[in-house]
Amino acid sequence: MAILSVTFSCGDEFSDTPAIGALSDDALANPQGVDLLLTGAYGMLDGWRSNNKGNQFAVGGDNWWCDVISDDAHKGSTDGDQIELYQIETFDWQTANDYFRAKFTALYAGVNRANAVLSVINGIDRDALLPADAAAITGQEAEARFLRGHYYFELTKMYGNVSIVSVENYETLEFNQPNSGPAWEQIESDFQFAIENLPATRAEQPDPGRPTAFVARAYMGKAHLYQGDWANALTELNAVINSGEFALNTEYLDNFNAAGENGPESVFAIQYAADTGQSFNGNIGGTLNFPGGGPFGSCCGFYQPTIDLANAFQVDANGLPLFDTFNDNDFKNDYGINSDEPFEPDTTTPVDPRLDYTVGRRGIDYNGFGEHVGKEWIRAGFNDISGPYLPKKNVYQAEELATNQGAGAWGQQHSGINYNIIRYADVLLMAAEAAVETGDLATALNYVNQVRERAANTSVVQAVDGGGPAANYQVGLYASFPDANFAREAVRFERRVELGMEGHRLFDLRRWDVADQVISEYVTNETRTIDNFGPKMNAYQPQFDLMPIPLTSIDLSGGILTQNPGY
């Protein structure tokens, strides 16, 4: 019997006897049956399942709450709401924290579902199939292995030392395997199979949200990048760039709205959808991350950009980033000012236009809803540590409420906006990073300038009075990278301003081995404005470069799982 869910401390829970109406292996042993199982494996990309273990808001595939550990985002809302996330933000980490547990179990549920597909495929006699059906099964095997590679990649970048659960372990219910190290060998094996067996192009793989061989190569390049294997990373990423399959959207905003979904810049995305009722095909993990009130009566004021992030968009007279001095002066904000008190936003300091597509600030249009009125839309009080800003990339455009808003009973928002796990700008910047580390500064310069040129040419947010641009927007291109150190800093800074509030920042800081230094400086800078932020923060510790293995999972494994160092 095909078991679609199993009793497993790190994944989906099932009965060991199939439910009434469950399909047998024979019924599933064909392309149509395997595709049903694949749908379930894709379904775990958003982390949501009916038998969630741990906090339901931690499972989302956009990794929003991981930004809260970095210098990009505050938890948001009041300090006392979602206290376990407050503890994560302030580096008061407990191994029993439900955020760590929920993400861990959701990712292993994804591994389980991929293994369920592979288990059924292993039982199929392909020689007995028609050639077209046999080819379809091989392609589906490649999809399942691609998905398993994705889930193991996420587990490895978060938890470091993870268990490899094989198809054989799945079939014999032997899930409690030692977590003796990263899963890079397994990840590369799965992505390599996908590269060799997935359709090469989008034209051959027309279903939105399903990978091609070049998508798998983007993932393979990212896996090499995370291991510091720069030459192989650059080879894979250059293959994606030179394939002609992807391109930057003309408009930066199209990465975060319905118009740009599955467009040329989307390499691989979670396919969210807003439907009737409570929209369980929407982004449930991000349900808290909307204004606490605001223009459409939403909840709950979480996921607020930091002052530090807003400062990073300041540029010099040539429109180039201020690598070392962007925090010398805070970009003007309304922290401590009520909505009925006067405030005028800064319209003279030169800033990158991506600021106002990333950070919601008072006096500036908020995604087409009109002027952001400030404190009335900020749920956090002035004694909380969340600052004056709102997120924008995950929030609907005003004209999309009818198509992308999925709302529930208490103001929660189950957004239908796709989340790009990898987009083409990310590929360009990963390739630029690998090029720097292999000494190819000319290629790095080219790729960074492609990203900046799009930013320079994109439409800008307009002033609410109709009088032109909302700020003094400037973007310049680099004339050269004079040396590797300058190039490295330029690439890293570009990743922040291009990909801010997209769930990447923490993992960049970790793999660059700068998290301790950067977060320490961030706390000092943020405390200049939010004066109780520093006193509430604990120091960043080396063990925080990996998340703890959840205590519950260790206990349920009978001690087979071991804790990461330092916890």
Side-chain angles (χ1 to χ4, degrees):
M1 183 64 64
I3 303 177
L4 304 185
S5 46
V6 294
T7 302
F8 178 32
S9 64
C10 300
D12 281 320
E13 278 197 354
F14 315 45
S15 168
D16 58 359
T17 56
I20 295 173
L23 297 174
S24 67
D25 280 356
D26 288 343
L28 294 167
N30 54 71
Q32 293 75 26
V34 172
D35 198 60
L36 289 173
L37 290 175
L38 262 176
T39 299
Y42 280 105
M44 282 311 302
L45 288 171
D46 72 354
W48 181 256
R49 62 201 196 281
S50 60
N51 60 331
N52 272 330
K53 302 300 175 187
N55 191 294
Q56 63 176 316
F57 307 119
V59 301
D62 56 5
N63 295 333
W64 71 270
W65 62 272
C66 299
D67 276 339
V68 171
I69 303 171
S70 78
D71 52 349
D72 266 12
H74 291 295
K75 172 184 78 69
S77 185
T78 60
D79 288 354
D81 196 351
Q82 293 291 311
I83 192 65
E84 288 183 313
L85 185 53
Y86 174 82
Q87 292 172 332
I88 289 174
E89 179 177 11
T90 59
F91 296 110
D92 178 18
W93 287 15
Q94 312 296 323
T95 59
N97 190 301
D98 255 6
Y99 272 77
F100 297 135
R101 183 190 180 203
K103 191 65 178 178
F104 189 82
T105 59
L107 290 170
Y108 268 112
V111 171
N112 268 359
R113 293 191 185 186
N115 278 336
V117 178
L118 296 169
S119 177
V120 169
I121 288 175
N122 286 349
I124 296 174
D125 181 2
R126 295 185 214 193
D127 292 336
L129 298 176
L130 295 171
D133 285 348
I137 291 293
T138 299
Q140 291 170 325
E141 181 180 3
E143 289 186 58
R145 291 195 64 173
F146 170 85
L147 289 170
R148 187 173 65 178
H150 163 81
Y151 295 126
Y152 274 130
F153 182 90
E154 293 292 294
L155 282 162
T156 294
K157 80 178 186 183
M158 292 182 183
Y159 299 93
N161 301 304
V162 299
S163 302
I164 304 299
V165 181
S166 67
V167 176
E168 291 74 18
N169 297 144
Y170 172 85
E171 291 173 339
T172 57
L173 308 184
E174 295 172 351
F175 298 104
N176 290 320
Q177 302 298 315
N179 58 323
S180 53
W184 294 123
E185 184 176 349
Q186 180 67 56
I187 291 165
E188 291 181 24
S189 174
D190 281 341
F191 288 152
Q192 187 60 43
F193 187 90
I195 289 168
E196 294 170 359
N197 293 283
L198 284 172
T201 67
R202 288 183 169 191
E204 298 170 272
Q205 177 68 289
D207 291 339
R210 299 213 178 196
T212 65
F214 284 112
V215 173
R217 293 196 79 167
Y219 266 89
M220 182 71 90
K222 188 173 182 178
H224 286 305
L225 192 83
Y226 268 66
Q227 297 173 80
D229 183 3
W230 308 113
N232 282 322
L234 187 57
T235 296
E236 297 294 341
L237 295 166
N238 272 340
V240 177
I241 292 166
N242 295 329
S243 71
E245 283 286 290
F246 307 101
L248 295 172
N249 288 322
T250 301
E251 296 292 342
Y252 184 67
L253 179 61
D254 282 347
N255 291 297
F256 319 109
N257 62 16
E261 287 186 348
N262 300 313
E265 191 162 344
S266 179
V267 177
F268 191 65
I270 301 175
Q271 304 293 307
Y272 289 118
D275 44 25
T276 57
Q278 293 196 32
S279 292
F280 289 110
N281 290 314
N283 186 351
I284 298 176
T287 192
L288 304 177
N289 303 338
F290 294 79
F296 48 91
S298 54
C299 182
C300 294
F302 281 70
Y303 197 32
Q304 293 182 235
T306 63
I307 294 167
D308 191 287
L309 177 60
N311 289 347
F313 290 94
Q314 298 178 104
V315 297
D316 66 16
N318 296 313
L320 294 173
L322 306 173
F323 293 160
D324 302 316
T325 60
F326 71 94
N327 260 321
D328 285 0
N329 295 290
D330 291 328
F331 191 62
K332 185 179 180 182
N333 64 75
D334 64 321
Y335 183 75
I337 301 173
N338 287 308
S339 292
D340 59 358
E341 298 174 311
F343 174 82
E344 294 293 332
D346 187 335
T347 59
T348 58
T349 300
V351 291
D352 189 306
R354 289 171 288 190
L355 165 68
D356 286 323
Y357 289 116
T358 306
V359 177
R361 57 193 184 97
R362 182 173 174 179
I364 306 299
D365 177 77
Y366 190 74
N367 288 8
F369 290 100
E371 181 179 352
H372 178 353
V373 301
K375 181 64 184 69
E376 284 185 12
W377 290 3
I378 305 292
R379 186 179 178 205
F382 294 140
N383 290 323
D384 299 308
I385 61 171
S386 295
Y389 295 129
L390 287 175
K392 296 188 84 171
K393 288 180 175 179
N394 62 300
V395 177
Y396 331 103
Q397 300 300 302
E399 68 269 19
E400 295 179 355
L401 282 181
T403 55
N404 262 337
Q405 184 185 35
W410 43 269
Q412 75 269 38
Q413 306 291 303
H414 295 172
S415 170
I417 302 171
N418 282 6
Y419 169 70
N420 289 304
I421 300 172
I422 299 179
R423 57 185 177 90
Y424 186 61
D426 188 8
V427 172
L428 285 169
L429 294 175
M430 288 191 290
E433 181 178 341
V436 170
E437 302 304 334
T438 56
D440 187 355
L441 301 191
T443 293
L445 176 67
N446 176 24
Y447 290 163
V448 170
N449 273 344
Q450 285 187 44
V451 175
R452 293 189 63 77
E453 187 172 24
R454 191 267 299 279
N457 293 327
T458 196
S459 300
V460 299
V461 173
Q462 296 295 303
V464 292
D465 64 4
N472 180 16
Y473 299 122
Q474 303 288 334
V475 179
L477 304 186
Y478 292 102
S480 66
F481 285 166
D483 54 51
N485 286 335
F486 183 95
R488 186 177 296 114
E489 195 161 14
V491 172
R492 293 180 178 185
F493 210 95
E494 197 65 26
R495 284 191 64 81
R496 189 179 193 195
V497 295
E498 173 69 21
L499 302 169
M501 301 293 286
E502 295 183 47
H504 301 291
R505 179 64 172 170
L506 171 66
F507 305 106
D508 284 346
L509 295 178
R510 284 176 169 180
R511 64 190 179 80
W512 295 333
D513 197 26
V514 298
D516 188 359
Q517 173 191 343
V518 168
I519 290 174
S520 177
E521 292 173 357
Y522 151 63
V523 171
T524 298
N525 293 327
E526 206 78 357
T527 305
R528 288 202 308 263
T529 302
I530 308 172
D531 56 13
N532 63 350
F533 182 66
K536 293 182 178 181
M537 295 290 289
N538 296 288
Y540 190 94
Q541 301 295 332
Q543 66 265 29
F544 298 153
D545 282 345
L546 294 176
M547 294 175 185
I549 305 299
L551 179 62
T552 301
S553 296
I554 292 175
D555 290 344
L556 290 173
S557 77
I560 293 175
L561 291 177
T562 57
Q563 187 55 268
N564 282 330
Y567 290 103

